[in-house]
Amino acid sequence: MTGLNAAERRQLDVIRRFGTVGALLLLLGSLGAGAAPVFNPVLRLPVLSLFSRMPTVSIAVGFTGVFMLVLAWLALGRLSRPSRERVVSLPQMARTLVMWITPLVFTVPSFSRDVYSYLAQSEIAALGMDPYTEGPAQALGVDHPLTKGVPTVWRETPSPYGPLFLSAGRIVNWLTGGHVVWGVAMHRLLALIGLAMIIWALPRLARRFGVHPVSALWLGAANPLVLFHLVVGVHNESLAIGLMLVGFELALRRMPWVGPDGPFPPLQPGELVGYAVGASVITLGAAVKIPAALALGFLGVMIARRLGGQWSRLFAVAGGLFVVFAVVLTAASLGSGLGYGWVATLNTAATIKSWLAPMTALGFAAGGLGILLGLGNHMDAAITVSRVVGSVIGPLIAAKLLFDSFRWKLRPLTGLGVALGAVLVFGATVQPWYLLWAAVPLAAAAGDTKFRVVATGISVALAVVLNTTGSPFDGRTFQLPYAYIAAIIATGLAVLLARRHLIGTPGGRVTSGTA
C-alpha cells in the first residue's frame, strides 16, 4: 500500500471540510437543541440566544450537522479501505480527527443528559455522603441546581458508576465549585483523555492482530458514534474503554508471538511485570464502568496460550489476574472512601424499560400478545422473565468465546469485542453508545470487508437514532418531522455541491485482498 496521490489528497481535503462544516452545524444546533442545563447560560448570550428561541430550526441545524458528519465519515471510509492500493496515512487520519473533533468540544452536551447525573452524584460524594445509597433528590434536595439538571427518572436512583470515576468527579466538582458549565467542560476533558487513549491503543493493537491501523482508527475512533456520544454526549464509556484498550496493549508489549504448536519460549525479562501493569490498567477501567473487567478474561487466555495452552496454566494465570484485580479494585474502592457500595448498584439502569434492549422489547411483545389474546396484562412479568433469560444468554456466549479463544479458534481481542456486545445487547437496557464496547475492540481485531460493512451499517443507523436534545418530545412531536425534512433538504444541497468528491469514484485501484 502507498499514500494517496494528488487527486485523492484533494478529495480528502473536501471530505475533511465537509465533515468540519457538519461539526460546526452540530455546534450551532446544540445551542438551541442540545441537552442544556436548567439554568442555561446561552440564554444570556447576544445573537447565539436566538437558537434557543427557535427549537425546530435548531434541531434541523443539528441534524444537518449529524447527517453531514456521517456522510463525511462514509466518504473517508472509501479512502481508508484496507483493500485499496493507496490509503489515507495515519497522520492524515489524525489531522482529520482533530478537524472534526475541535468544534464538537465546544458543543452543549447533546443526545443525552447523563453528564448532569455525573455532576450530581459526584457532588454527593464530595459532601461526604454515599452516592451508592442515595440519589440526588434525597442527598442534595430537589431544588439543588445539580439535581434539577438530572433527568427525572434518575433523580432518586443511586450511582451505577465505579469508585474511580466518582473520585475523578469529586475532584472535578472541587475544582469547579459545583459550577455546571465548568463541570461539564471538565467531564468533557476526561472524555477526551479517554478518546486519546483509544486513539493511542487502536493502531498498535491493530498491527498486533493483523489489521490495517488506519482502518482501525476510521472504524474505532472516527466513528460517528464515538464523536456524537463520547465527545458531544460526554459519556464515561470513553474513559473506561480507553483504559481497557491501553491496559490490553501494555500487557502485550513484551509478549512474544507464539502459535498453537509453539515454540513457547521462556518468560522474557519484564514480561510478568507487563502483564501485571496491563491488568492493573484494565482494572482501573472497570473501576469506571464494570464491563471493562471482561478484558481480563481474554488477556488471561492470551497469557495462558503463550505459556503452552495447558489448563493448569490457564487456572494459574486466572488466579494471578484475580489477585491483581482484587488488589487494584480494593485500592480504588477504599481509597475513594466509598467502599464496595457500587457492587449493589450495577443494575441501576435496569429501571428503564427501553425498546432498544432486545430482551426488554421481547418482553413488551410477549406481554402485548397476552393482552391481545385476552390473557390479562402480564407485561411486567414478561419483561422480567425475558431479562432473566438475557442475563443468562449473554454470559454463556462470553464463556463460549473465552473457550474458543483458549483453543486457538478465535482471536482473543475479537472474542472480547463480541463478548462485550453479547453481554450488553442481551442486558436489561441498551443505549446506542453501548455498541462502542464491541465496535472499538473489534475495529482493531476484525478487519475483513464483511465486518466493516455490517459495522458501518449499524453505526450509521444508531448515529441518527437519537435526537440531539436528549429529552422526549412530549406535546411537541410535530417539531421532529419538520426538522428532519429541513435537515435532509439542507444535507442534499450540501452533497450536490461536493458530490464529485463525496460520491464520485475515488482514485486508486482496488486490490482483491483484505486486511
Side-chain angles (χ1 to χ4, degrees), residues 39 58 75 79 85 110 229 235 276 438 488:
F39 302 104
S58 297
L79 296 177
E85 182 181 23
S110 302
H229 296 298
H235 284 286
I488 291 170

Side-chain angles (χ1 to χ4, degrees), residues 321-336:
L321 291 179
F322 178 78
V323 170
V324 173
F325 176 75
V327 169
V328 174
L329 201 55
T330 297
S333 298
L334 299 183
S336 68

Side-chain angles (χ1 to χ4, degrees), residues 31 129 162 224 247 284 305 323 327 472:
L31 297 175
M129 293 180 282
L284 291 178
R305 289 186 354 177
V323 170
V327 169

Side-chain angles (χ1 to χ4, degrees), residues 261-345:
D261 301 317
F264 304 103
L267 288 170
Q268 306 299 305
E271 190 175 342
L272 287 178
V273 173
Y275 297 151
V277 170
S280 298
V281 175
I282 291 173
T283 304
L284 291 178
V288 175
K289 294 200 82 168
I290 198 62
L294 191 55
L296 289 174
F298 289 91
L299 173 61
V301 163
M302 288 198 72
I303 298 172
R305 289 186 354 177
R306 175 261 179 275
L307 296 176
Q310 297 92 353
W311 283 100
S312 59
R313 300 286 190 182
L314 180 63
F315 291 131
V317 170
L321 291 179
F322 178 78
V323 170
V324 173
F325 176 75
V327 169
V328 174
L329 201 55
T330 297
S333 298
L334 299 183
S336 68
L338 299 173
Y340 283 97
W342 55 270
V343 176
T345 64

Side-chain angles (χ1 to χ4, degrees), residues 84-120:
R84 296 191 83 246
E85 182 181 23
R86 295 186 296 273
V87 296
V88 174
S89 67
L90 281 174
Q92 287 171 330
M93 180 63 74
R95 285 193 289 272
T96 303
L97 278 169
V98 170
M99 288 179 66
W100 291 357
I101 290 173
T102 299
L104 302 181
V105 171
F106 301 99
T107 56
V108 175
S110 302
F111 307 104
S112 168
R113 303 186 66 86
D114 280 5
V115 66
Y116 302 115
S117 294
Y118 302 165
L119 290 171

Side-chain angles (χ1 to χ4, degrees), residues 133 196 443:
T133 59

